[in-house]
Amino acid sequence: MHNVKSVGVIGAGQMGGGIAQVAAVAGFETVVFDAFEGALGKCKSLHDKLLARAVEKGKMAQPDADAAKKRLAYAASLDALSRCDVVIEAVVEDGRVKKELFRKVAAMTGPQTLLASNTSSISITDLGTSVGDRADRFIGMHFFNPVPVMQLVEVINGLATSPVTTERTIALAKAMGKTPIPANDRPGFVSNRVLMPLINEAFYAWMEGVARPEDIDQIMKLGCNFPMGPLRLADFIGLDTCVHIMDVLAEGLNSPRYRACPLLKQLVTAGRLGDKTGRGVFEYPAK
Ligand code: 3HC
């Protein structure tokens, strides 16, 4: 039993916004916090658009979409999360930023509140040190982009995470309509330990002229049934995030096998981060 009625989400970006939408649709009172008011406005517009589209497509009844919208609140102050039964953090992949936020959240929420990070690869044990004697309530809830579409939540136990916290988190992910699968707190967990070296290898194949980027992607789509080619997926995830995850793998697993491809790093240096900057491996003029 998760005992969760209200969900707080830190970060109104792609991941945080998606998590909040899924929580509200599943019936939880949901508050999204972001320090940037602009991000909150964008997040609300996207929620309105996606819920309207779901109604248009006949996937959701209008009263259900209206009720989900009513359950969503957008807050520019962290204090708005103080009464939430779970707080899920989805901000930039910077351990210091995450720890500082969790330190504040642990101080303002009740002792039963679940504290979860959506980190893609930072150690849950390490992040959990920021919440002092609440580390037993600290856990990883790794969602996948686009959150409303992707089924998986990778549930990562830190060294101090209690079995009750794991049980509550698994029940919560199920109540959000997701499929939770446990993984241990090792670099990249399972998903990025396997996915990111594959993406990195696609950059090496491009750099070495094995094939053109569009052909590398088509080969993987048509030959391996990938919904997106690995280079398109890298743009979708963000090339800076890909480099960051490779760095975590290289350091944590202590092997040159996980070094980020120089071409991938060069694109990041040039500011070509993927969809979010309108250009990465490919170009996205509309953005
Ligand atoms: N938000 C909400 N819904 C979205 C969406 C978004 N951003 N993008 C697409 N959708 C929905 C569409 O509305 C559509 O819904 P419908 O079936 O109800 O009509 C459905 O997804 C399919 O969309 P499209 O028909 O427009 O396009 P595709 O069939 O090409 O699917 C995709 C788009 C779902 C993104 C698909 O290409 C895909 O699955 N790509 C791979 C995604 C993936 O691997 N994600 C994991 C990334 S790794 C990660 O997140 C972890 C991190 O740690 C790095």
Side-chain angles (χ1 to χ4, degrees), residues 14-15 18 21 46 50 53-54 57 59 93 118-121 142-150 154 191-192 195-196 199 226-228 233 236-237 241-242 245:
Q14 217 171 25
M15 297 305 290
Q21 183 185 325
L46 188 62
L50 290 171
R53 200 190 291 165
K57 285 184 173 171
K59 299 204 161 182
E93 282 296 280
N118 177 56
T119 181
S120 52
S121 60
H142 186 202
F143 291 82
F144 291 78
N145 190 19
V147 181
V149 179
M150 306 298 283
E154 202 176 19
S191 55
N192 281 318
L195 172 67
M196 217 36 85
I199 287 178
F226 279 33
M228 282 174 166
L233 182 58
F236 186 60
I237 291 169
T241 303
C242 294
I245 295 170

Side-chain angles (χ1 to χ4, degrees), residues 105-107 109-115 128 131-138:
V105 169
T109 51
Q112 294 304 318
T113 306
L114 283 177
L115 303 170
V131 300
D133 63 1
R134 305 270 299 279
D136 62 320
R137 304 277 150 80
F138 193 90

Side-chain angles (χ1 to χ4, degrees), residues 162-241:
S162 71
V164 173
T165 296
T166 309
E167 271 169 39
R168 287 181 70 197
T169 305
I170 285 175
L172 172 64
K174 284 184 183 164
M176 290 171 83
K178 300 295 181 194
T179 304
I181 304 186
N184 287 322
D185 188 22
R186 299 285 298 139
F189 318 131
V190 171
S191 55
N192 281 318
R193 170 91 177 251
V194 176
L195 172 67
M196 217 36 85
L198 185 144
I199 287 178
N200 200 45
E201 204 58 36
F203 278 91
Y204 272 112
W206 176 21
M207 188 176 80
E208 291 169 12
V210 180
R212 297 179 305 164
E214 55 273 35
D215 292 338
I216 291 172
D217 272 10
Q218 273 304 78
I219 285 167
M220 297 309 287
K221 279 172 74 175
L222 302 182
C224 301
N225 246 0
F226 279 33
M228 282 174 166
L231 297 172
R232 172 71 194 94
L233 182 58
D235 277 351
F236 186 60
I237 291 169
L239 302 192
D240 51 341
T241 303

